[in-house]
Amino acid sequence: KNEVEQSPQNLTAQEGEFITINCSYSVGISALHWLQQHPGGGIVSLFMLSSGKKKHGRLIATINIQEKHSSLHITASHPRDSAVYICAVRFNAGGTSYGKLTFGQGTILTVHP
Amino acid sequence: SQTIHQWPATLVQPVGSPLSLECTVEGTSNPNLYWYRQAAGRGLQLLFYSVGIGQISSEVPQNLSASRPQDRQFILSSKKLLLSDSGFYLCAWIAGADTQYFGPGTRLTVL
């Protein structure tokens, strides 16, 4: 069964703290996405990874294909980082996958000033 | 530039009423389009996807249907809403491995 597990489910931090959110998946993938969902519901794509590491501002995403694991890091966290962070993967399914994503349950991050 | 529009943004409907949610995309042709739903306290779940006009694939059995009447238009419908249809509905367009766009979403409450 193709599954995506995120941890922790809830995360509370003080402004300035370094934050890590983890994502594990069950079988081989062709791509992994990190998404950010704000309270209004809108979703923004932060990163797409198929290997290695990507950095954008204070956000860093890494993936270990062999271990089937990815992490999203936020350095110097700020209250505006408060949101739900979602890991989504595209499992290897040959030519029929059509880019379908399987989503983790999300991590609710709250950063206090 | 590529953009996804969804409407309405919010909707409150009585049980048994019909539903029509619309998604349109700009800045591309022949996109692969997706409808996702996020029920309260749960993760996003794929409902339908379409690779072209008139081509619809359903991922889960449900009370909803989808249609693709035009290349850049994707519609989610129901003849009779159920309480369990409440949730946040997202339209998405995936253009290749690197590009993922989400619409602003529609929050549906069925009373």
Side-chain angles (χ1 to χ4, degrees), chain A residues 65-82:
Chain A
I65 297 297
Q66 287 73 29
E67 294 184 4
K68 297 184 178 59
H69 179 269
S70 176
S71 293
L72 176 69
H73 306 285
I74 305 176
T75 61
S77 59
H78 190 276
R80 64 173 176 268
D81 296 325
S82 299

Side-chain angles (χ1 to χ4, degrees), chain B:
Chain B
S1 63
Q2 297 86 356
T3 309
I4 300 183
H5 301 282
Q6 278 187 249
W7 62 89
T10 59
L11 191 59
V12 180
Q13 291 285 96
V15 169
S17 64
L19 173 74
S20 181
L21 302 181
E22 188 165 346
C23 169
T24 59
V25 299
E26 295 179 4
T28 185
S29 59
N30 197 30
N32 289 347
L33 297 173
Y34 303 78
W35 277 113
Y36 294 95
R37 176 172 62 198
Q38 187 177 42
R42 303 187 65 180
L44 284 157
Q45 180 186 36
L46 178 64
L47 301 176
F48 299 97
Y49 66 92
S50 171
V51 299
I53 295 173
Q55 301 179 64
I56 307 295
S57 295
S58 174
E59 286 295 293
V60 293
Q62 58 203 306
N63 184 44
L64 303 168
S65 62
S67 61
R68 179 108 175 242
Q70 300 181 43
D71 181 45
R72 286 172 282 182
Q73 184 184 34
F74 202 20
I75 297 173
L76 185 69
S77 304
S78 174
K79 292 182 180 178
K80 290 186 178 181
L81 283 169
L82 305 172
L83 287 174
S84 58
D85 293 324
S86 293
F88 186 68
Y89 290 82
L90 275 166
C91 179
W93 159 37
I94 297 172
D98 293 343
T99 309
Q100 172 102 26
Y101 300 97
F102 288 91
T106 295
R107 190 163 300 282
L108 171 66
T109 303
V110 182
L111 301 174

Side-chain angles (χ1 to χ4, degrees), chain A:
Chain A
K1 182 178 179 182
N2 297 342
E3 293 181 336
V4 181
E5 296 287 337
Q6 279 186 243
S7 63
Q9 291 187 348
N10 288 278
L11 183 56
T12 301
Q14 289 298 126
E15 184 173 357
E17 287 184 356
F18 181 83
I19 288 165
T20 296
I21 300 170
N22 297 299
C23 176
S24 298
Y25 48 91
S26 54
V27 296
I29 64 171
S30 58
L32 181 144
H33 297 259
W34 280 104
L35 311 170
Q36 180 190 54
Q37 184 174 29
H38 281 281
I43 289 182
V44 174
S45 180
L46 299 175
F47 294 104
M48 192 289 297
L49 295 163
S50 55
S51 65
K53 174 182 176 179
K54 288 189 176 179
K55 184 176 188 294
H56 186 261
R58 295 179 295 106
L59 301 177
I60 304 167
T62 64
I63 189 169
N64 186 316
I65 297 297
Q66 287 73 29
E67 294 184 4
K68 297 184 178 59
H69 179 269
S70 176
S71 293
L72 176 69
H73 306 285
I74 305 176
T75 61
S77 59
H78 190 276
R80 64 173 176 268
D81 296 325
S82 299
V84 177
Y85 291 84
I86 302 170
C87 171
V89 304
R90 181 162 61 244
F91 288 107
N92 289 330
T96 61
S97 65
Y98 297 118
K100 293 184 290 183
L101 296 178
T102 301
F103 294 84
Q105 290 290 90
T107 295
I108 302 172
L109 171 65
T110 305
V111 182
H112 294 293

